[in-house]
Amino acid sequence: SDKVLEFSFQKGENTIELRYISEPVTIKSIRLYHKAELPTYEEYLKQQAGAQPGEKPEKIQAEKAYLKSEAFLFPLNDRSSPANEPSSLEYIKLNVIGSTNWSEPKQWITWKFSVNKSGFYQIALREKQSAEAGVNANKKLLIDGEVPFQEAENIVIPYDRAWKMYVIGEDHDGYRFYLTEGEHTITLYNTVGELGDVLSELNTVIGELNDVYRKIRMLIGSTPDPNRDYKID
């Protein structure tokens, strides 16, 4: 899961201890803070009351990423559609990014772009999400490094074998994002989505089973005697 852990502190003096396990790390500072509550999408729109639509569409070529979390999130070639840009019958053109390289939680890609007029903009992805049949992809959306509202914490991109235009928040007629004139960044960050709680509980259960397994091995060894009855409470 990519959830932030929350810790309870008592009033007065407390102690934080970090114990070495492996690999060196340098720490500059430790800060205690309250996690900010994100507004809902409706509250976000109210905060931008009176804002007008943006001036014109901006197209970002996805393979030209500004920043990425992993070196192997490199541009790829896809010839399955002539609408992928750039397209060529003669040469291999790098025209997409992601695919199965971009499948692990907490991987992210950031793109930089500019808008000519402050206002509301929608974000549409030309995408194909066909890695695992019937399985949705879950992404967290950040604008300028910040999640704008609660619903952007989990953007669900449905499974589809074909290339299509997917408007973020299409079940809400497309989310509208307020952008000021000038440069901005968009980041898509892999999450486990609604499976987060299930995976966390599963890890706990697996840990408990491993504890039981180790205790049994301590009693019966690695090769149990088939002619002996073991009485294990």
Side-chain angles (χ1 to χ4, degrees):
S1 172
D2 64 329
K3 290 184 178 179
V4 175
L5 298 177
E6 297 184 13
F7 301 89
S8 175
F9 290 93
Q10 303 300 317
K11 181 179 179 181
E13 191 171 278
N14 293 264
T15 301
I16 297 175
E17 180 178 335
L18 297 177
R19 294 190 176 184
Y20 173 83
I21 297 176
S22 65
E23 303 305 323
V25 65
T26 301
I27 298 176
K28 180 180 179 181
S29 64
I30 296 176
R31 181 166 63 97
L32 306 183
Y33 64 96
H34 293 289
K35 184 180 178 182
E37 288 294 326
L38 291 173
T40 64
Y41 177 57
E42 290 186 359
E43 292 170 342
Y44 172 79
L45 290 180
K46 290 178 182 178
Q47 293 173 1
Q48 314 297 340
Q52 300 298 313
E55 186 175 51
K56 66 174 184 177
E58 301 288 340
K59 181 184 287 188
I60 306 166
Q61 297 295 343
E63 67 275 9
K64 298 179 179 179
Y66 173 59
L67 295 170
K68 50 196 177 182
S69 61
E70 312 283 350
F72 56 81
L73 290 175
F74 44 77
L76 304 168
N77 169 258
D78 188 291
R79 292 186 175 183
S80 62
S81 170
N84 291 344
E85 298 177 353
S87 179
S88 174
L89 295 175
E90 184 178 1
Y91 300 104
I92 294 176
K93 298 282 189 177
L94 300 178
N95 53 12
V96 298
I97 197 169
S99 187
T100 54
N101 289 0
W102 195 19
S103 58
E104 296 298 322
K106 300 187 179 181
Q107 290 180 322
W108 51 265
I109 301 177
T110 296
W111 296 269
K112 181 186 283 189
F113 64 100
S114 296
V115 296
N116 295 323
K117 178 184 176 182
S118 298
F120 278 122
Y121 292 84
Q122 292 181 311
I123 300 175
L125 311 176
R126 175 168 165 77
E127 53 83 19
K128 181 171 69 171
Q129 203 289 94
S130 59
E132 294 186 43
V135 178
N136 296 332
N138 298 85
K139 310 288 184 188
K140 177 163 63 176
L141 173 72
L142 298 90
I143 304 292
D144 297 329
E146 300 289 339
V147 180
F149 44 82
Q150 292 178 15
E151 289 81 351
E153 288 268 12
N154 186 34
I155 302 297
V156 179
I157 302 177
Y159 171 81
D160 199 312
R161 295 178 62 185
W163 283 96
K164 68 173 187 176
M165 293 300 296
Y166 170 73
V167 179
I168 292 179
E170 61 184 14
D171 52 340
H172 292 77
D173 296 323
Y175 293 140
R176 293 183 294 158
F177 301 90
Y178 181 76
L179 301 174
T180 56
E181 180 182 342
E183 281 195 342
H184 296 275
T185 61
I186 291 175
T187 300
L188 288 177
Y189 178 104
N190 281 0
T191 71
V192 293
E194 64 274 10
L195 294 177
D197 292 338
V198 176
L199 292 175
S200 178
E201 185 175 352
L202 183 61
N203 283 333
T204 300
V205 172
I206 290 174
E208 293 172 352
L209 286 173
N210 285 335
D211 287 341
V212 173
Y213 175 70
R214 283 192 294 268
K215 290 176 181 177
I216 293 174
R217 287 288 295 269
M218 289 172 64
L219 294 171
I220 68 176
S222 58
T223 53
D225 185 348
N227 299 313
R228 177 181 176 184
D229 292 332
Y230 292 92
K231 294 181 180 181
I232 301 174
D233 291 333

